[in-house]
Amino acid sequence: MKIRIIILLAIVFIPFVTKLAAQNADFGISLGTFRIPNQQFFEKPRLGFNLNLGLYYPIHKHWSLGTNYNNSVIEYSRESVANTPLAPILGDLPIDGRVNSEHFSFLIQRNMLLPVWGLHLDLGTGVAVMVEANEFYDVGNFDEEMKYYTAYFWEQATSIEFQLPLRYAVYKPLGNRGSLGFEGGLFFGKGMFVRGVFFGPRLSIKI
C-alpha cells in the first residue's frame, strides 16, 4: 500500500518538480524529536524521534513550494490491556507498542527575513498523506473453560490518512548555498486532533 501512495505522489508531483528544476532548490535534512501530545489514539505515548527531508523551490521573492518527507517512531504503553487473562505459563501480556509513521507532504511557504541577527523564517502549510504502522501484542485462542487466552502474538495494523501539516523553520544562511537552524511542525488528523509534533536542528544546501 505504501508503494502505491509513493507512486501516486510521484505521478502528481514529478511534472511540477520537473518544471521547477531549473530554479535554485533548497534541500534540507533534520533529525530530532517526535511526540503525540494526546491519548486520542495511543495510550501513554512516549517521546520518539524523527527524520525530516524537504525540497523547496522559490516561486516568488517571499514564497516557495515544496515536498516534505517525515519518518518518525514512538513507543506507547497499552495499560488498558495489562490485566488481560492469560494462561499461567505465559505470564503477563506485554503492553508496550510501537508506532512508525511516514508523512508525505506538499507545502506552500511564506519566507520572511527577521529583524534580528540576519535570521530567516519559513511558515508553511498544505496537504499530507500519513502511512502509519501500529505494532503491538495481541491475544488469541480463548479457552472458554479456563477463561483465559492461551497465546499472544506481535500484530501490525496499518492505516492511511490525509492530514493538514503546519511547518516552521528558523535559520541563518551560511554563505551563498547553505543554512543552519531548526525546524518543527504539527500534523492535524481527522477531527483536527494533533497526530504528531516534530522539532529538531536543520541543515540545508541549495542544489
Side-chain angles (χ1 to χ4, degrees):
M1 182 64 72
K2 288 193 288 187
I3 293 177
R4 293 180 182 177
I5 293 293
I6 294 172
I7 292 175
L8 177 60
L9 290 172
I11 292 174
V12 172
F13 295 131
I14 280 178
F16 164 78
V17 172
T18 301
K19 184 176 180 179
L20 294 176
Q23 300 188 38
N24 207 17
D26 178 80
F27 173 75
I29 180 172
S30 68
L31 295 169
T33 61
F34 188 90
R35 62 186 179 90
I36 299 176
N38 56 63
Q39 299 188 61
Q40 183 68 24
F41 298 94
F42 303 106
E43 298 177 62
K44 301 292 182 65
R46 299 192 284 273
L47 186 66
F49 66 90
N50 89 98
L51 164 68
N52 200 72
L53 304 174
L55 186 62
Y56 302 96
Y57 296 89
I59 58 173
H60 184 270
K61 182 179 179 181
H62 298 296
W63 293 92
S64 61
L65 290 175
T67 56
N68 202 79
Y69 170 75
N70 185 291
N71 182 270
S72 63
V73 179
I74 68 158
E75 295 182 342
Y76 66 100
S77 298
R78 302 173 66 225
E79 296 184 358
S80 61
V81 301
N83 296 320
T84 301
L86 292 177
I89 194 174
L90 297 177
D92 297 326
L93 178 67
I95 63 173
D96 286 342
R98 183 173 64 229
V99 181
N100 187 310
S101 60
E102 295 179 283
H103 293 86
F104 304 89
S105 305
F106 176 67
L107 302 171
I108 181 168
Q109 295 192 143
R110 171 71 172 175
N111 316 118
M112 293 167 279
L113 177 62
L114 297 178
V116 292
W117 303 319
L119 296 176
H120 292 247
L121 170 67
D122 294 345
L123 296 174
T125 188
V127 62
V129 177
M130 180 193 70
V131 181
E132 184 177 76
N134 178 20
E135 300 176 336
F136 56 94
Y137 286 97
D138 203 357
V139 294
N141 301 324
F142 186 71
D143 189 318
E144 293 287 351
E145 181 179 351
M146 302 303 295
K147 304 301 182 184
Y148 57 55
Y149 293 93
T150 61
Y152 65 80
F153 52 90
W154 188 244
E155 179 68 275
Q156 182 182 85
T158 301
S159 61
I160 298 175
E161 181 180 80
F162 283 98
Q163 297 184 345
L164 172 68
L166 297 179
R167 175 188 179 269
Y168 64 90
V170 176
Y171 54 92
K172 185 174 181 61
L174 300 176
N176 296 323
R177 302 192 61 82
S179 68
L180 181 65
F182 62 85
E183 72 174 330
L186 302 90
F187 296 102
F188 292 91
K190 188 179 300 183
M192 291 304 290
F193 288 102
V194 178
R195 296 299 309 274
V197 180
F198 68 93
F199 178 84
R202 179 178 187 266
L203 177 66
S204 72
I205 186 172
K206 295 188 181 301
I207 59 176

